[in-house]
Amino acid sequence: MIKRQVPDAGGRRRHGLPYGFAEVAVASLLVAAAYCGAWTCSIEPALHAPTAQSSTDKGQAARHGRQARGRHTDAQKADGSASARQVETPQGQGQGAPAPKGKLAIDGDASLSAAPSVASLRQAIFDFEARGYVVGICARDLRTGVTITYDADADFYTASAIKGPYVISVFQELVDAGSLDAADAYHYAQPIILNSDNDAYVALSDRLGRSCFAAWLRQGHVEAGAYPSVDAYAAPHYPHSTARQLAQEWAHAYDYLASGRGHSDALLALLANRAVSPIRDALGEKCQTLSKAGWYPVDEGIADPVTNDAGIVMGPRGPYVVAILSNAPEDFDAVEGIAAAVDQALPRAVDAAACYPRKRTSGSSRTPNCLSTSS
């Protein structure tokens, strides 16, 4: 490389910069400027893009089954009717309001979409999802049919939440029909419902099979969910369920438990005294609740980490059925917060006093919308 010699102030020649240095420097600056401009146009906006998941990521997060079962996106409403208009609630009330990742919808009462209590439910869901969890919700007012759903057709590992509907089917289909001794059935039902005993549940299921459960599901017009048929859904001890399915199951159970027929009173008393229930813990003594929770702490085999609860609520906003399914790993407090927010979001019952029988005297009659745990 040829170096230039330039005179200094005294006229002496000193070595200067190489020939062409200035041209190379200018060219380098131009290339750097072009690169920075391209970064600003193409890369920087991605850093400030919305944090919402893509439709593909969202679908993967909502699916918790390990088999390629496919989700039903055209499932019926919890009451089996598509006549009521479904309204998607606004994603936020005011600037900076939280927006859950899924769709919170009201079916049957569009006025609820702007209610502060629904905004509180949206906040509770947002907080739940901020912890990295996924949730599916279906709650239906049994008087009016008003239904609140949030990702109600996403399927989750049901865990022990399926035990309640299965035991109810055994009593309604077999015990009341005289084909199974009541004391024998109660021997299994007591530990299953009160303490969520896995051994008793599997023993009863293996002994009786799942056909009575499938027949009971069909009678209640319960959907197949992520399975090809109701029989396929009923077959496993612990299937995957959607919140919509479990809400339908408990609506069917309500018709039996509120009727006073057969052995429904004994079964009702068991359900009211289960040991674990986020729904019961959220609503406290102001409500009478009948539900069966399910939970699993780890990802293991066919089981996924979940915390679920589903059942019937009687009280100021009842009667209604509610199902809350989530992938929260044995996090009862998180689901408890969702249950409290759902309760507040449903409209208050006008006839709450008439449909809240904490005690029932001997000889008194049931009203169609009321349950009682007393003998």
Side-chain angles (χ1 to χ4, degrees):
M1 178 180 292
I2 300 175
K3 295 184 178 180
R4 291 186 300 168
Q5 291 184 336
V6 295
D8 60 10
R12 292 170 297 183
R13 292 186 174 271
R14 298 183 180 275
H15 292 294
L17 293 173
Y19 288 105
F21 179 86
E23 290 82 357
V24 172
V26 171
S28 299
L29 290 174
L30 290 173
V31 171
Y35 177 82
C36 291
W39 184 88
T40 303
C41 293
S42 62
I43 301 177
E44 187 180 22
L47 302 180
H48 302 285
T51 58
Q53 293 174 302
S54 69
S55 58
T56 301
D57 292 339
K58 183 178 172 183
Q60 291 173 345
R63 179 177 279 116
H64 300 280
R66 297 189 176 276
Q67 302 174 3
R69 297 187 301 265
R71 285 166 49 183
H72 289 186
T73 58
D74 56 347
Q76 297 174 336
K77 304 297 185 290
D79 61 352
S81 171
S83 59
R85 182 186 177 195
Q86 189 180 70
V87 179
E88 183 176 0
T89 65
Q91 288 300 308
Q93 299 290 338
Q95 187 176 4
K101 298 174 183 177
K103 176 183 177 182
L104 179 63
I106 309 294
D107 190 17
D109 188 349
S111 66
L112 286 179
S113 62
S117 58
V118 173
S120 297
L121 173 57
R122 189 183 301 110
Q123 176 71 60
I125 295 171
F126 179 84
D127 294 342
F128 189 90
E129 292 178 335
R131 301 175 65 177
Y133 299 154
V134 180
V135 65
I137 302 167
C138 185
R140 177 191 163 205
D141 188 314
L142 294 175
R143 300 168 297 111
T144 65
V146 171
T147 305
I148 297 176
T149 59
Y150 182 81
D151 282 355
D153 297 309
D155 62 287
F156 296 79
Y157 178 62
T158 310
S160 294
I162 200 65
K163 294 175 182 176
Y166 179 78
V167 169
I168 294 170
S169 76
V170 168
F171 273 79
Q172 193 170 356
E173 295 293 312
L174 302 178
V175 176
D176 289 358
S179 56
L180 180 65
D181 180 68
D184 192 9
Y186 195 85
H187 169 74
Y188 288 96
Q190 187 173 25
I192 292 172
I193 299 300
L194 295 183
N195 301 312
S196 200
D197 190 298
N198 292 330
D199 293 337
Y201 170 66
V202 172
L204 181 65
S205 178
D206 287 345
R207 174 183 168 186
L208 301 178
R210 309 292 289 187
S211 59
C212 67
F213 186 41
W216 183 83
L217 292 171
R218 285 192 292 269
Q219 288 179 6
H221 306 289
V222 177
E223 299 165 6
Y227 291 82
S229 68
V230 170
D231 286 337
Y233 167 61
H237 290 312
Y238 299 102
H240 285 68
S241 296
T242 70
R244 194 184 304 278
Q245 281 177 290
L246 283 182
Q248 291 169 344
E249 291 168 33
W250 280 100
H252 183 36
Y254 176 84
D255 292 338
Y256 174 63
L257 296 172
S259 70
R261 297 191 307 266
H263 297 81
S264 60
D265 280 347
L267 192 55
L268 188 151
L270 283 180
L271 291 165
N273 289 285
R274 71 278 188 209
V276 177
S277 173
I279 293 175
R280 178 201 59 206
D281 294 343
L283 305 185
E285 289 298 318
K286 70 176 183 177
C287 294
Q288 177 188 15
T289 60
L290 312 171
S291 71
K292 182 66 190 76
W295 59 95
Y296 205 76
V298 296
D299 190 345
E300 180 179 70
I302 63 170
D304 298 326
V306 294
T307 306
N308 308 322
D309 203 2
I312 303 164
V313 176
M314 293 296 309
R317 300 182 189 278
Y320 68 87
V321 292
V322 59
I324 304 169
L325 304 181
S326 78
N327 68 345
E330 200 170 331
D331 191 337
F332 300 109
D333 291 340
V335 173
E336 187 177 324
I338 296 291
V342 168
D343 183 71
Q344 291 299 310
L346 285 166
R348 180 173 292 272
V350 176
D351 55 348
C355 294
Y356 185 39
R358 300 299 298 186
K359 299 291 183 181
R360 179 164 64 92
T361 58
S362 178
S364 65
S365 60
R366 293 176 187 265
T367 61
N369 290 334
C370 299
L371 301 173
S372 173
T373 57
S374 60
S375 58

